[in-house]
Amino acid sequence: MAKKSKLAVLLGLSVLLAACGNNGNGNTEKTTSNAAGKNTGTEQPSDKGPVTLKVLVASDWLKEKKWQSVFDAYEKSTGNKLDIQSAPVNNYMDLVNTRLSTQDAPDLLFYWGQEGKIKQLQPEKNLLDQTNEELTSRISPSVKKYFLGTGGKLYGIPVTGLNVSGVIYNKKVFADLGIEIPKTYDEFLAACEKIKAAGITPVYEAGKEGWPLQLYTFSAMANVINKQPDLMDKINTKQVTFDQVPEYVEALKQQHELLGKGYLNKDLFSATLDMSLEALASGKAAMIFQADWEIDPILKKYPNAQIGMFPQPWGDDAYAGISDPIGLYAIKKSDHAKAAQEFLNFFASQDVLTDYFNSVKSIPTWTGLTVDLNPGTADMNAYVEQGKAVPFFNSLTAVEIGDYQSLLQQMYGGKMTPEQVALGLQANVNKAAKAAGVEGF
């Protein structure tokens, strides 16, 4: 999402993964996902004797995703070894494609889950088809609908949770002012006016860093795509352009309107993410437009903060935006393809998944798990379980959307209108699509 040198130097990289610690905190709420399933995943691989599986993964993900406990459990359970090989994420796609085209292909690959990126891997040639494996029946339906496959086939399993976008708010500020969670945009404006009148900043935006400004339209477009499920297919084939989607332009106008009404922080253009979290936790601000990935950092630094979350109001039945999960793929031409498949089965076992998701405190991408979630994340999990969640639109584009955040910064700075931002986003897409040879551009 939103938080986004050549190969000769990278091809020799092989870095051992350092163990990552758990990140629990006392502010948790329990949730149980809809369906049950059990797969112990502890069978010995079909290869004769212990084997060493080469695992290729972006080094940035290793620092964040807490997979080490799964790696350790697998080695202890099976007697096999994992040779963890990594490279920085900004060079990772090129490295993966190079490795797959040589004799140095890994056995297991951690990679993005978006269809556009999977297509670049030539999945029918390079990846083991997971479509008919038992484990796929336990993947969250919303994940299978949008991610990890192409051409009607599923090629990977999700190995991270879902993050959900919306409005993170200070419960004490809302309670003190007698404000109920707004369900429509007009109710949201009324809440902002009441908060402003009390001398509190209604919404704090981290304008200096830029990327948080994208969350508003990510959330809004989830509602638009829900009503127009073929919209992104039309955009990806240039039947429709972003500037021709009135709801998207309207979302930009709403975002800009908040600035004109004085509902945003006065230090917008010098404000950082850390400043926004401090303002929210302390009650200097009532809300931020964000994803729930910022809730745990808030609670770690400000454990007494009273934090909640709700979908960004849109119409009278708002949907949440969800991030794309990272996927795990088994390489078809691997000498240890059976053992690689067994590793996927192991990762997908209920016990392993339960331990993992309770460690990372994120919404599971699998059914049948009981997980303790942070406040706010637990609020939003209900929308995911009800199917009221749609991916961020940049997860569904055929190409990268380019430097979107700078367009939004220019809009807030008065240098671009909302209509010009929509045209600028489409220009980014046109450029990337032409470079990638996408048909229709």
Side-chain angles (χ1 to χ4, degrees):
M1 176 210 84
K3 252 168 172 179
K4 320 199 154 49
S5 112
K6 290 290 181 183
L7 300 175
V9 176
L10 295 173
L11 292 179
L13 283 178
S14 177
V15 181
L16 289 177
L17 172 64
C20 297
N22 289 344
N23 75 329
N25 67 64
N27 294 306
T28 60
E29 298 179 26
K30 182 165 288 187
T31 179
T32 303
S33 48
N34 295 329
K38 184 76 173 178
N39 180 350
T40 62
T42 57
E43 302 91 341
Q44 289 289 336
S46 301
D47 295 66
K48 295 181 179 179
V51 299
T52 297
L53 297 175
K54 292 184 293 185
V55 182
L56 187 58
V57 57
S59 54
D60 308 60
W61 299 342
L62 288 179
K63 298 174 184 177
E64 302 172 359
K65 306 306 180 184
K66 304 184 185 301
W67 292 317
Q68 184 63 45
S69 61
V70 180
F71 298 160
D72 292 343
Y74 171 78
E75 291 187 336
K76 182 178 180 181
S77 174
T78 65
N80 290 340
K81 298 297 181 184
L82 300 175
D83 175 15
I84 309 298
Q85 305 173 358
S86 63
V89 71
N90 60 322
N91 299 298
Y92 191 60
M93 187 181 300
D94 287 339
L95 174 62
V96 168
N97 285 320
T98 298
R99 291 282 296 270
L100 290 178
S101 66
T102 69
Q103 297 301 312
D104 195 25
D107 303 299
L108 293 160
L109 174 67
F110 286 81
Y111 197 73
W112 290 276
Q114 300 103 312
E115 181 177 10
K117 286 189 168 66
I118 293 172
K119 285 181 177 179
Q120 296 179 25
L121 299 180
Q122 301 180 64
E124 290 192 1
K125 173 184 177 183
N126 291 315
L127 306 179
L128 284 182
D129 186 353
Q130 301 297 314
T131 307
N132 296 317
E133 295 291 332
E134 180 278 332
L135 52 78
T136 64
S137 67
R138 295 181 285 108
I139 298 174
S140 171
S142 60
V143 172
K144 285 193 289 188
K145 180 178 180 180
Y146 292 107
F147 301 118
L148 301 169
T150 183
K153 294 183 178 180
L154 198 74
Y155 288 101
I157 65 170
V159 288
T160 56
L162 292 175
N163 287 113
V164 187
S165 66
V167 183
I168 304 177
Y169 72 105
N170 187 303
K171 289 183 175 181
K172 186 176 186 304
V173 170
F174 270 51
D176 289 347
L177 298 178
I179 297 174
E180 295 185 358
I181 292 175
K183 292 183 172 56
T184 67
Y185 181 66
D186 287 341
E187 289 178 359
F188 180 77
L189 293 180
C192 287
E193 189 63 34
K194 192 170 186 178
I195 294 166
K196 179 184 175 183
I200 298 170
T201 299
V203 179
Y204 199 103
E205 285 273 44
K208 181 178 181 179
E209 295 191 29
W211 69 262
L213 305 181
Q214 301 172 112
L215 272 299
Y216 191 96
T217 47
F218 285 172
S219 295
M221 284 293 285
N223 293 273
V224 179
I225 295 168
N226 174 59
K227 295 286 181 64
Q228 303 177 47
D230 62 344
L231 176 60
M232 294 310 299
D233 288 335
K234 290 181 178 179
I235 286 176
N236 288 334
T237 53
K238 212 178 180 183
Q239 299 176 57
V240 174
T241 56
F242 278 103
D243 55 292
Q244 295 171 344
V245 180
E247 297 89 348
Y248 170 66
V249 177
E250 177 61 27
L252 290 169
K253 289 180 178 179
Q254 289 180 358
Q255 189 173 5
H256 190 250
E257 180 183 27
L258 298 177
L259 177 64
K261 288 181 175 292
Y263 295 156
L264 304 184
N265 44 303
K266 291 182 172 61
D267 60 350
L268 170 66
F269 298 104
S270 60
T272 64
L273 175 64
D274 286 344
M275 292 167 64
S276 72
L277 302 186
E278 189 278 331
L280 178 70
S282 65
K284 297 175 185 175
M287 297 175 282
I288 58 174
F289 299 123
Q290 257 302 341
D292 72 310
W293 56 55
E294 297 301 341
I295 292 177
D296 189 61
I298 293 173
L299 295 176
K300 280 187 173 181
K301 193 168 184 179
Y302 310 99
N304 295 322
Q306 298 180 34
I307 299 299
M309 191 170 181
F310 58 87
Q312 185 173 303
W314 184 274
D316 57 0
D317 186 27
Y319 273 55
I322 54 174
S323 64
D324 51 294
I326 294 172
L328 173 62
Y329 306 85
I331 304 304
K332 183 183 290 188
K333 63 181 178 181
S334 164
D335 291 336
H336 303 299
K338 291 182 180 179
Q341 180 65 51
E342 289 293 346
F343 181 79
L344 267 63
N345 295 340
F346 181 88
F347 205 120
S349 68
Q350 187 170 353
D351 291 344
V352 170
L353 291 172
T354 297
D355 289 343
Y356 174 74
F357 282 104
N358 275 294
S359 171
V360 297
K361 306 293 183 187
S362 63
I363 293 174
T365 41
W366 299 78
T367 61
L369 307 179
T370 300
V371 179
D372 290 331
L373 297 174
N374 292 322
T377 298
D379 297 339
M380 299 300 288
N381 184 53
Y383 291 87
V384 174
E385 290 190 337
Q386 294 166 23
K388 298 177 65 174
V390 174
F392 302 160
F393 73 82
N394 68 321
S395 295
L396 301 178
T397 52
V399 294
E400 301 291 337
I401 64 172
D403 191 3
Y404 183 40
Q405 65 188 50
S406 71
L407 299 176
L408 298 172
Q409 288 173 317
Q410 290 179 72
M411 181 181 74
Y412 274 141
K415 296 180 180 179
M416 297 185 78
T417 65
E419 292 84 357
Q420 289 172 328
V421 171
L423 287 168
L425 173 59
Q426 186 61 44
N428 288 350
V429 171
N430 291 346
K431 182 178 179 180
K434 288 178 181 176
V438 178
E439 187 176 351
F441 289 83

